[in-house]
């Protein structure tokens, strides 16, 4: 069993799978996905804005992370991606560190020229895994926002696909 967190969160709207993409008015589909992305973006910003000491989301100190969340519609218009972008106010792009966390200790590199030394690398890896977190992993506020807004997103997309059908 793996302890890796995943950033994948998606919604699939049933009922329009049998149609080819050319059967839809691309402008109306893009508008529907843009509206759905804005709903999720606003909820994610709200999750971060209301986070405090008791929540598992990153705490709001300056608001740079909250303001960096954007929704971007794909080129084809049939997908929207909501994610934080690196802005001028960020020295480093850090949302991945917040989500996955950082273990205590340095990264396990080579074993100092002892390439085939029996069990040295494994002992270093085990020692690092046993150590604590320097930055503890946080909850995925964007995936939670999509889960919270799931009904509204589905309704917007269903209406958008129905209106876009030629």
């Amino acid at each position: 069993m793996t302890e890796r967190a995943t950033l994948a969160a998606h919604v699939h709207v049933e009922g329009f799978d049998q149609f080819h993409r050319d059967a839809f008015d691309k402008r109306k589909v893009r508008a529907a996905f843009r509206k759905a992305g804005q709903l999720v973006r606003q909820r994610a910003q709200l999750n971060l804005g209301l986070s405090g000491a008791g929540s598992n989301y990153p705490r709001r100190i300056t608001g740079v992370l909250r303001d960096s969340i954007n929704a971007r519609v794909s080129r084809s218009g049939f997908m929207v991606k909501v994610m934080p972008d690196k802005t001028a106010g960020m020295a480093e792009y850090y949302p991945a560190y917040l989500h996955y966390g950082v273990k205590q200790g340095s990264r396990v590199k080579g074993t100092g020229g002892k390439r085939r030394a029996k069990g040295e690398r494994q002992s270093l890896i085990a020692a690092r895994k046993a150590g604590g977190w320097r930055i503890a992993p946080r909850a995925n506020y964007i995936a939670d926002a999509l889960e919270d807004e799931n009904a509204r997103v589905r309704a917007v997309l269903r209406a958008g696909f129905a209106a876009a059908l030629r």
Side-chain angles (χ1 to χ4, degrees), residues 119-142:
E120 279 207 37
R121 181 169 176 79
Q122 285 79 12
S123 65
L124 289 172
I125 291 172
R128 177 148 190 225
K129 282 187 177 180
W133 292 99
R134 191 166 73 202
I135 299 174
R138 308 287 169 67
N140 190 342
Y141 49 91
I142 296 176

Side-chain angles (χ1 to χ4, degrees), residues 63-95:
V64 174
L65 178 63
R66 183 198 61 219
D67 295 339
S68 72
I69 299 172
N70 284 324
R72 189 172 301 138
V73 179
S74 69
R75 204 176 262 182
S76 69
F78 286 87
M79 182 187 82
V80 65
K81 190 185 326 182
V82 180
M83 60 180 274
D85 289 329
K86 184 180 181 310
T87 62
M90 293 181 181
E92 297 289 331
Y93 183 73
Y94 58 86

